[in-house]
Amino acid sequence: MQISSKDLRPYLLVAPQTLTFLFALVLPIMAIVIISFWDFNGFTSVPGFTFNNYLGIFSSPVYLKTYLNTFKFAFLVWLVCVLISYPVAYYLAFRIKSSKWQTIWFLICTVPFLTSNIIRMISWIPFLGREGLINKALIGLHLTNQPVEMFLFSDFSVVLAMVHLYALFMVAPIFNSMMRIDRALISAAEDLGASSFNIQKRIIMPLAAPGVAIGTIFVVTLVMGEFATMRLMSGGKASSVGYLIKNQIDSLQYPMAAANAVVLLAITLLIVFGILRIVDIRKQI
């Protein structure tokens, strides 16, 4: 049977995407999984098949503490991002009536994100340091007699920097969901005497939930793999799985780093699948 070019056209159209997906995602993940079962003799990686790397992860209190610390930062950053992004998105979607000004203000929100992540992190140091503007203001107002140590190289500075880095990933999908809400629903609720609180609770929040879910996926996955912010803003006092993997790679412990990467990927995928089970985001895509 002769195959015509017309029959091959659908396959040719999907070939670039399929090859990109295969070589940029599937094969690298397969390589990481394979290396995670190798052994490390103290000097080099030895090909083989062993569960020692995974047993070491699940039996070590240090690894357990590191994973819990990562979950803590992921939750705190997500919570602060939601508390900041939801009111911002609501104001842009419902309080600004002109689509022109909605676009302008949304672009203004994106301006800080056009700079490098490192620059945005470093920009907080003059504010948070012992001789920073915040401590000088507190001392000048006689609220404290000495610089406050908690602002820089602490969990506070890590969460602050990550919120600064990833808040837009929460604002954008929530704003998109709110812009899809039919204004007639809100007008009908107001005509029926519904209060602003009930409109928010029964109409806007449920319909904006897919945007919150998409933003949650973005923020949580980004924070779970973060290591540069953790190193710079904590001063080495805090750790995360991403930072742990980076250190293991630097010390050539590739099998253990690969095992941690596989465990982190599995946990992240479980979180994403859990979110997708709770909230249907297909209408937002």
Side-chain angles (χ1 to χ4, degrees):
M1 184 177 64
Q2 186 176 5
I3 300 176
S4 65
S5 59
K6 185 177 180 180
D7 296 329
L8 292 175
R9 190 178 302 170
Y11 298 98
L12 294 175
L13 288 174
V14 301
Q17 297 92 327
T18 303
L19 292 174
T20 301
F21 179 77
L22 180 64
F23 287 102
L25 183 64
V26 176
L27 291 181
I29 291 178
M30 289 178 60
I32 292 173
V33 172
I34 292 172
I35 295 173
S36 70
F37 292 103
W38 289 10
D39 197 8
F40 182 73
N41 60 11
F43 300 97
T44 184
S45 301
V46 180
F49 187 84
T50 177
F51 288 101
N52 290 338
N53 297 320
Y54 291 98
L55 292 175
I57 292 173
F58 292 109
S59 62
S60 171
V62 175
Y63 284 121
L64 178 61
K65 183 178 179 181
T66 303
Y67 275 88
L68 292 176
N69 203 48
T70 303
F71 299 150
K72 178 189 72 174
F73 282 114
F75 173 76
L76 290 176
V77 174
W78 168 81
L79 180 63
V80 176
C81 281
V82 170
L83 294 177
I84 293 176
S85 302
Y86 190 92
V88 171
Y90 175 80
Y91 181 82
L92 291 175
F94 291 98
R95 296 305 179 186
I96 300 178
K97 304 301 181 181
S98 170
S99 59
K100 173 184 175 181
W101 281 104
Q102 283 178 338
T103 304
I104 291 174
W105 281 110
F106 183 78
L107 290 176
I108 290 175
C109 291
T110 65
V111 169
F113 297 88
L114 301 178
T115 59
S116 166
N117 287 2
I118 299 298
I119 293 176
R120 277 185 282 160
M121 284 187 286
I122 294 176
S123 67
W124 282 107
I125 295 178
F127 291 90
L128 304 177
R130 288 178 55 86
E131 302 298 327
L133 297 178
I134 295 178
N135 271 314
K136 287 184 178 180
L138 292 176
I139 294 174
L141 294 172
H142 303 290
L143 297 177
T144 181
N145 296 324
Q146 58 184 4
V148 179
E149 301 285 347
M150 66 162 285
F151 293 131
L152 187 60
F153 302 141
S154 62
D155 290 356
F156 172 82
S157 60
V158 172
V159 172
L160 179 63
M162 288 187 180
V163 170
H164 185 197
L165 292 178
Y166 304 130
L168 182 65
F169 292 95
M170 185 70 74
V171 173
I174 296 177
F175 173 69
N176 180 59
S177 293
M178 288 183 175
M179 290 300 295
R180 293 169 178 261
I181 297 175
D182 188 354
R183 283 0 184 218
L185 293 174
I186 298 175
S187 299
E190 292 174 342
D191 293 340
L192 293 173
S195 64
S196 299
F197 176 78
N198 283 328
I199 292 174
Q200 189 71 235
K201 178 182 177 181
R202 298 180 180 275
I203 298 177
I204 297 177
M205 291 183 68
L207 294 178
V212 177
I214 294 173
T216 299
I217 292 173
F218 284 144
V219 171
V220 170
T221 53
L222 288 169
V223 174
M224 292 285 281
E226 179 64 75
F227 67 90
T229 306
M230 189 70 61
R231 172 65 183 88
L232 181 63
M233 299 306 294
S234 73
K237 296 179 180 178
S239 184
S240 67
V241 180
Y243 187 34
L244 174 66
I245 294 172
K246 185 260 184 189
N247 289 337
Q248 289 174 336
I249 292 175
D250 289 343
S251 59
L252 305 181
Q253 299 182 44
Y254 298 124
M256 184 59 76
N260 275 297
V262 171
V263 173
L264 181 62
L265 176 62
I267 293 173
T268 304
L269 289 176
L270 286 175
I271 294 173
V272 172
F273 289 149
I275 294 172
L276 295 180
R277 293 283 294 178
I278 297 173
V279 181
D280 184 8
I281 67 171
R282 287 176 294 180
K283 295 180 180 179
Q284 301 296 318
I285 300 176

